């Protein structure tokens, strides 16, 4: 299994670049940067990251075809890929924060992703493209340079139809925070529908899982508040889908939590989110995040690998008093040696 990490763009630029250098030195596979509006710009930061790394994979996750026109995304991603040939991936999804850009239409997510990805790939061939799609339009445009390298395109989702689309057209899929085999198997069932529809097989797609991670010293430690916030945000962003799946993901759903899921207003107010965090049962939390000792995390990653997951993309949540850099070093020391293949190197030889 490959192990990668991600930044949401919250840390200052200088510190982000130090983390990129550290991740490469520690042996992580890739460093993703979220297109998380409205934090720091991912294209600027990934461009800078190409200059301070030489081996580390670099990824954009998750961008969308609605708030960023796919033609402009094609231009930016081809530029990044030219700076770091063979190291860049772009992960597409349905997007968020539409309430802050009320003129953006995003009512056909599957069609938008299909049309957007198709346009990007056409532009990377150097051809002049016209597209009069249902969600994406483009008139007689082309890149004014020949792309020297192009990134693989992954699709991120928890939903059945977009997971199916990933199986049809994507180079890889980033499953949204499924941290146990039942969640992965649910996602794989829908991905497989897409693979069959397009005549492809599992060899044609990379399977990755996005995972929230906190490392404990002891198994009985309390889950830190920042981790609870991250997991609850992920759950609420896919409320309808995950509400239908909760009994498949865990067996400790309480009547109070079930009532909350069906009756709470679908809003992001502090009161609603605080109640969600209070009511989330531990089993459901563990199905969508990883919080445990290194030995527990290794065991869980190996269980995902046995289900076919080829890459874990970790979003680290430090405990109080701990820094992200501390976590990266600890993951590299206690987790990577047990789950990630290391490159084969020639042994040392004593010289008389």
């Amino acid at each position: 299994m490959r192990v990668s990490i991600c930044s949401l763009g919250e840390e200052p630029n200088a510190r982000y670049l130090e983390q990129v250098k550290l991740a490469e030195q520690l042996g992580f596979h890739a460093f993703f940067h979220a297109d998380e509006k409205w934090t720091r710009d991912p294209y600027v930061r990934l461009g800078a990251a190409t200059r301070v790394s030489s081996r580390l994979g670099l990824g954009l996750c998750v961008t969308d075809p609605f708030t960023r026109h796919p033609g402009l995304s094609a231009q930016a991603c081809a530029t990044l890929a030219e700076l770091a040939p063979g190291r860049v991936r772009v992960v597409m999804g349905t997007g968020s924060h539409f309430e802050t850009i009320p003129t953006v239409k995003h009512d056909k997510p599957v069609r938008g992703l299909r049309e957007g990805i198709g346009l990007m790939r056409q532009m990377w061939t150097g051809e002049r493209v016209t597209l009069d799609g249902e969600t994406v339009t483009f008139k007689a445009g082309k890149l004014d340079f020949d792309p020297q390298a192009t990134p693989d395109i992954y699709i991120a989702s928890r939903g059945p139809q977009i997971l199916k689309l990933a199986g049809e057209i994507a180079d890889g899929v980033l499953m949204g925070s499924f941290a146990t085999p039942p969640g992965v198997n649910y996602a794989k069932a829908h991905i497989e529908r897409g693979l069959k529809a397009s005549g492809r097989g599992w060899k044609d797609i990379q399977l990755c899982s996005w995972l929230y991670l906190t490392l404990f010293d002891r198994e009985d430690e309390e889950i830190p508040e920042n981790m609870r916030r991250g997991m609850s945000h992920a759950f609420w962003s896919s409320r309808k889908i995950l509400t239908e799946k909760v009994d498949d993901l865990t067996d400790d759903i309480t009547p109070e939590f079930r009532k909350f899921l069906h009756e709470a207003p679908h809003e992001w107010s502090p009161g609603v989110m605080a109640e969600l965090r209070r009511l989330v049962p531990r089993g459901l939390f563990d199905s969508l995040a990883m919080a445990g000792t290194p030995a527990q995390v290794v065991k869980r990653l190996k269980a995902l690998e046995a289900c076919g997951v080829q890459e874990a993309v970790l979003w680290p949540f430090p405990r109080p008093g701990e820094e992200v850099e501390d976590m990266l070093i600890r993951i590299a020391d206690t987790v990577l040696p047990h789950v990630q293949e290391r490159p084969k190197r020639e042994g040392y030889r004593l010289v008389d």
Side-chain angles (χ1 to χ4, degrees):
M1 174 182 278
R2 300 182 297 274
V3 179
S4 302
I5 54 173
C6 181
S7 165
L8 261 67
E10 296 170 324
E11 64 283 306
N13 293 325
R15 186 170 181 182
Y16 163 72
L17 294 178
E18 290 300 320
Q19 290 176 2
V20 168
K21 290 188 283 188
L22 178 63
E24 179 161 280
Q25 292 168 355
L26 293 173
F28 286 92
H29 179 70
F31 201 135
F32 286 83
H33 197 296
D35 187 4
E36 184 74 13
K37 306 166 188 68
W38 299 96
T39 60
R40 292 169 177 82
D41 184 82
Y43 287 106
V44 172
R45 304 247 285 190
L46 286 168
T50 68
R51 302 298 86 189
V52 299
S53 62
S54 60
R55 177 201 59 80
L56 190 69
L58 299 170
L60 176 70
C61 77
V62 174
T63 192
D64 69 82
F66 306 107
T67 59
R68 295 188 188 271
H69 191 283
L72 296 174
S73 293
Q75 174 193 32
C77 291
T79 304
L80 277 176
E82 187 175 307
L83 286 169
R87 292 201 285 141
V88 176
R89 284 176 284 173
V90 56
V91 185
M92 302 288 290
T94 56
S96 61
H97 295 279
F98 295 114
E99 70 279 0
T100 61
I101 317 176
T103 58
V104 173
K105 295 181 180 179
H106 56 97
D107 55 342
K108 297 180 179 179
V110 177
R111 175 57 59 182
L113 283 169
R114 187 185 294 276
E115 291 176 355
I117 290 171
L119 175 63
M120 292 170 69
R121 284 173 167 163
Q122 276 187 282
M123 292 187 70
W124 290 338
T125 67
E127 62 183 289
R128 188 172 297 278
V129 185
T130 293
L131 174 61
D132 186 17
E134 293 181 45
T135 61
V136 179
T137 57
F138 195 66
K139 185 176 180 181
K142 69 183 294 292
L143 294 176
D144 288 337
F145 64 98
D146 293 324
Q148 301 302 301
T150 56
D152 285 344
I153 295 185
Y154 286 44
I155 290 177
S157 185
R158 299 182 187 95
Q161 294 307 312
I162 295 177
L163 288 170
K164 177 178 180 290
L165 179 68
E168 287 185 54
I169 67 172
D171 299 304
V173 57
L174 183 61
M175 299 175 295
S177 59
F178 291 121
T180 58
V184 170
N185 289 332
Y186 149 80
K188 286 180 66 179
H190 294 294
I191 296 166
E192 189 169 29
R193 290 169 51 218
L195 292 173
K196 289 180 177 178
S198 60
R200 303 202 305 166
W202 287 108
K203 68 180 188 316
D204 299 310
I205 196 165
Q206 294 292 303
L207 195 61
C208 309
S209 191
W210 167 272
L211 300 170
Y212 304 93
L213 176 71
T214 290
L215 284 181
F216 291 160
D217 292 325
R218 306 180 317 276
E219 294 185 9
D220 61 350
E221 286 186 43
E222 288 291 323
I223 298 168
E225 182 65 14
N226 61 352
M227 180 72 145
R228 287 188 176 276
R229 287 179 180 276
M231 180 273 182
S232 61
H233 186 280
F235 184 94
W236 213 233
S237 67
S238 299
R239 175 185 179 178
K240 182 177 184 300
I241 295 164
L242 293 179
T243 296
E244 295 170 355
K245 294 294 299 177
V246 289
D247 291 304
D248 297 326
L249 297 174
T250 186
D251 60 3
D252 62 348
I253 301 299
T254 63
E256 187 181 13
F257 183 60
R258 199 181 302 277
K259 181 181 179 183
F260 174 83
L261 291 180
H262 291 287
E263 296 181 2
H266 190 52
E267 62 185 34
W268 298 87
S269 66
V272 168
M273 298 308 293
E275 187 69 356
L276 173 62
R277 291 194 298 275
R278 183 182 76 83
L279 293 174
V280 168
R282 179 59 190 256
L284 182 60
F285 181 92
D286 285 338
S287 73
L288 297 172
M290 285 194 178
T293 64
Q296 289 176 308
V297 169
V298 167
K299 183 178 179 179
R300 294 186 64 185
L301 288 175
K302 287 185 175 180
L304 296 186
E305 185 176 30
C307 293
V309 176
Q310 296 154 298
E311 182 175 1
V313 180
L314 307 177
W315 181 11
F317 282 82
R319 295 171 299 169
E322 185 179 39
E323 302 288 353
V324 170
E325 293 82 357
D326 299 330
M327 273 199 75
L328 298 187
I329 293 169
R330 193 172 178 207
I331 295 167
D333 285 344
T334 63
V335 176
L336 291 192
H338 303 287
V339 296
Q340 179 166 279
E341 288 187 10
R342 298 300 183 94
K344 290 183 171 60
R345 296 184 173 93
E346 185 177 339
Y348 286 104
R349 180 171 57 89
L350 293 175
V351 178
D352 292 332

